[in-house]
Amino acid sequence: MRNVEDYYPTKGRVVLHVDMNAFYCSVHEAEEPEKYKDQPTAVAGSVELRKGVIVTCSYAARRLGISTGMTVSQGLKKCPQLFVISPDFHLYRKYSKAFMAIAYGYTPLLQAVSIDECYLDITGSKQFGTPLEIAHEIQSRVASELGLPCSIGIAPNKLLAKMASDMKKPRGITVLRLRDVPQLLWDKPCNDLFGIGRKTAEKLKRMSIYTIGQLAATDERLLIERFGVNGLWMKQAAHGIDDSPVIEEREKNKSIGHTTTMPRDINDMEDVQRVMLNLADQVARRLRRQNLMAQTIQITIRTPDMVTVTRSQSLGNVTDSAEEIYREACDLYRRHFRGGKPVRLLGITLQNLLPKEDAALQLDLFDYEKQPKKDSLTRVMDLLRDKFGEDAILTAGMLGDDPSTLIRNHKIRGTSLQKFDIQENQEE
C-alpha cells in the first residue's frame, strides 16, 4: 500500500475518473444475467443485417473478434452466436444515474462527462480513506449493487485520471502520477494523448513528432506557431499538466420552452397543429443554438377559464428535430385533451437536456445513413434564418397548407432568397 502522501501532496488535487466498461452491453447483462452473462453481445441501432451497425459490444464478443463499427452481418459471420440487442436509452439513463449516485456519496465535486463516465475530485474526501481505498469501494459497490463493471483512474488531474482509467479494462484501477508520465506515456504515439485527434496527430507526424515524449521535448514556440493556443496545451499535456477543475454538475432542471396566447380561442385540430408546428420550430431552434439535445417533451394547454394542463413524454432517443418535437407534441395533445374544447394558450417545453457531443452516439444509433443529410439541411436552414431573419424560411404548415406535410415541404419566402434551392432527399 502506498503512503497517503503519494496521493495527497501538500498543495495538490486527487481526481478519479470512473469509466463504465462496455456500458450498454453490461446494463443488459445486469438486467438479464440468465440470458446474457458472459455471452458475446452487441448493441446495434438496427438489428437488420444490411444496415445495422454495432455501436458497442461485450468483452466476450471482443475476444471473438467483434468490434465497434462492424455491421451486424459482419459480426454474425465472425460470431454466429452473437446476441444483437436493440438499444434502450431509458434503461441506460436509469443505470447511469444509479452509478453516479454511488460516486456522489464520496464527494460533491462530481462532473458527468457522458452517460457512462464521470470525474470526481476527492481531495477533501480523506474521511473515506486513501484514494485507492475509495476507488476500490466505488468499484465494489457499483459491481455488487448494480451488477456493472467499471475501471477507475487515480491521478492529480483530469487528464491523467482519464488516461489511467483506460490502461486496465475491464475492472481495472490504475494510479498515474506526474512522475510516472515519462516512463508510462512518453513512448506512446501522440494520438494516445487524450485530446489529440487523428488530424492533429497527422500534422504532428509531418513535423516529425511521433511520440508523446517527442511532443514534450518540442519547442513551445514552434507548437504555438503551428497550432495557436492549442500548441501550448499540447506541450503541457505531454508533461501531464492539466489545471482544469472538476466542475460540479449534478443534474439540473434545465429546460427550454415557449408558449403563445392565441388572439382568439381555437378548438379545431388543424389550428392546433399549426400553432404546435410554430412552437416546435422555435424551441428546436433555441435548442440547436445552445448545442443541446432533449429527451422529454412537455406541452402546456390553458383553457379560456384559465385552467392549465401540462403533459409530458420521454422519448426513446434524444432529439433536436422540430419535426420530432412537433409530432410528439401533437400526439400528447390528442391523447390528453378532448377534441373540440376551446384553447386559449399552447406551449412546448423541452426537458432532460444534455450537450449534443454527449448524445452523438445515441444519434448515430438511429437512421445513421439519413441523419447526415437531415443535419446538413437543418444547418443550411438555420444559417439562412440567422442571416435573413426568422421569417426567411417557413414550413408549409405555418403557411396554412395541409399540416400533414409537416416540415418535409420547406418554403422560402422573399425574393432575396430565390437563389437557394432547398430540398430534402427522401428514400423510398
Side-chain angles (χ1 to χ4, degrees):
M1 179 71 69
R2 292 184 175 88
N3 294 326
V4 174
E5 288 75 17
D6 283 344
Y7 304 101
Y8 292 112
T10 305
K11 293 183 180 179
R13 294 185 299 157
V14 183
V15 177
L16 304 187
H17 181 258
V18 181
D19 192 3
M20 307 307 291
N21 302 147
F23 181 56
Y24 295 167
C25 290
S26 297
V27 166
H28 289 289
E29 183 175 324
E31 282 287 298
E32 300 181 81
E34 70 286 350
K35 184 176 181 180
Y36 296 128
K37 185 174 175 57
D38 298 325
Q39 296 299 315
T41 60
V43 170
S46 169
V47 296
E48 196 270 327
L49 296 182
R50 184 170 62 86
K51 292 187 177 181
V53 174
I54 292 174
V55 176
T56 189
C57 53
S58 66
Y59 285 90
R62 295 176 197 189
R63 288 192 290 270
L64 296 173
I66 307 301
S67 61
T68 299
M70 281 185 175
T71 63
V72 172
S73 59
Q74 289 171 332
L76 288 172
K77 282 180 183 177
K78 191 171 284 285
C79 176
Q81 68 270 36
L82 180 69
F83 287 95
V84 182
I85 308 169
S86 295
D88 183 343
F89 286 105
H90 176 74
L91 189 63
Y92 305 150
R93 286 179 66 83
K94 170 187 167 185
Y95 274 85
S96 177
K97 290 178 181 177
F99 92 77
M100 289 191 193
I102 290 173
Y104 187 71
Y106 296 87
T107 174
L109 292 175
L110 180 152
Q111 180 178 357
V113 289
S114 71
I115 196 170
D116 63 346
E117 59 180 316
C118 64
Y119 292 104
L120 305 173
D121 188 327
I122 60 166
T123 309
S125 302
K126 297 179 185 179
Q127 68 270 30
F128 296 108
T130 68
L132 200 57
E133 289 169 343
I134 293 172
H136 276 295
E137 191 168 322
I138 291 173
Q139 187 183 66
S140 176
R141 287 187 58 192
V142 169
S144 62
E145 295 175 28
L146 304 178
L148 299 179
C150 68
S151 295
I152 301 178
I154 308 172
N157 58 52
K158 290 164 67 175
L159 170 69
L160 294 183
K162 167 67 176 175
M163 298 192 70
S165 69
D166 286 336
M167 289 180 173
K168 295 178 186 176
K169 287 188 174 181
R171 300 180 179 88
I173 294 178
T174 304
V175 178
L176 182 57
R177 297 160 296 188
L178 276 173
R179 65 175 180 263
D180 299 326
V181 169
Q183 178 186 355
L184 297 180
L185 298 185
W186 278 5
D187 63 338
K188 299 184 181 301
C190 290
N191 60 345
D192 276 12
L193 185 63
F194 180 67
I196 292 184
R198 180 179 56 82
K199 290 184 178 179
T200 300
E202 288 298 325
K203 290 180 182 178
L204 289 170
K205 285 181 181 178
R206 291 195 289 270
M207 298 168 63
S208 299
I209 302 171
Y210 300 96
T211 67
I212 296 174
Q214 290 174 328
L215 178 61
T218 302
D219 185 84
E220 183 179 289
R221 289 170 296 180
L222 176 60
L223 291 172
I224 293 173
E225 180 183 316
R226 296 291 182 90
F227 298 96
V229 69
N230 197 44
L232 175 61
W233 172 85
M234 287 192 291
K235 173 78 172 181
Q236 293 177 333
H239 285 277
I241 298 170
D242 173 28
D243 295 326
S244 61
V246 174
I247 303 170
E248 183 181 353
E249 289 185 349
R250 293 292 287 164
E251 192 163 354
K252 301 175 178 62
N253 295 322
K254 293 193 236 175
S255 64
I256 290 176
H258 194 82
T259 60
T260 185
T261 301
M262 270 68 74
R264 59 175 176 81
D265 297 342
I266 61 173
N267 56 13
D268 186 83
M269 190 60 197
E270 186 172 320
D271 290 332
V272 170
Q273 286 177 299
R274 192 167 293 115
V275 174
M276 288 294 196
L277 189 57
N278 183 54
L279 291 169
D281 181 68
Q282 292 188 59
V283 293
R285 279 270 283 157
R286 289 168 58 192
L287 195 68
R288 292 193 296 271
R289 281 196 194 107
Q290 298 181 46
N291 206 31
L292 295 171
M293 307 290 288
Q295 188 161 35
T296 299
I297 296 170
Q298 176 184 284
I299 64 168
T300 301
I301 305 166
R302 184 171 298 156
T303 61
D305 54 358
M306 303 304 289
V307 174
T308 301
V309 178
T310 60
R311 294 291 184 269
S312 63
Q313 174 68 46
S314 290
L315 309 177
N317 188 35
V318 292
T319 187
D320 64 358
S321 163
E323 182 175 354
E324 291 182 49
I325 295 166
Y326 164 83
R327 185 169 56 246
E328 289 295 331
C330 288
D331 185 56
L332 279 168
Y333 184 92
R334 292 188 190 96
R335 284 191 284 126
H336 297 291
F337 198 74
R338 187 178 301 168
K341 293 181 65 176
V343 173
R344 174 186 177 85
L345 173 146
L346 287 171
I348 295 178
T349 301
L350 307 179
Q351 301 169 330
N352 287 336
L353 310 184
L354 68 161
K356 189 167 186 175
E357 61 266 26
D358 293 350
L361 181 60
Q362 299 183 25
L363 291 173
D364 288 344
L365 284 169
F366 298 92
D367 256 356
Y368 78 99
E369 289 182 323
K370 295 181 181 179
Q371 193 64 44
K373 296 178 183 178
K374 293 180 179 180
D375 289 346
S376 178
L377 173 63
T378 300
R379 281 194 299 272
V380 171
M381 292 174 63
D382 284 344
L383 287 170
L384 289 173
R385 293 166 76 177
D386 288 342
K387 185 172 182 179
F388 297 102
E390 294 299 319
D391 289 343
I393 300 177
L394 300 178
T395 65
M398 294 175 192
L399 292 173
D401 293 351
D402 180 0
S404 66
T405 58
L406 297 180
I407 297 173
R408 299 189 183 279
N409 299 325
H410 299 288
K411 294 197 173 183
I412 300 179
R413 191 165 77 178
T415 56
S416 61
L417 301 182
Q418 288 178 357
K419 60 181 179 179
F420 296 98
D421 179 20
I422 300 179
Q423 294 180 341
E424 180 177 6
N425 297 323
Q426 299 183 46
E427 297 178 9
E428 295 297 330

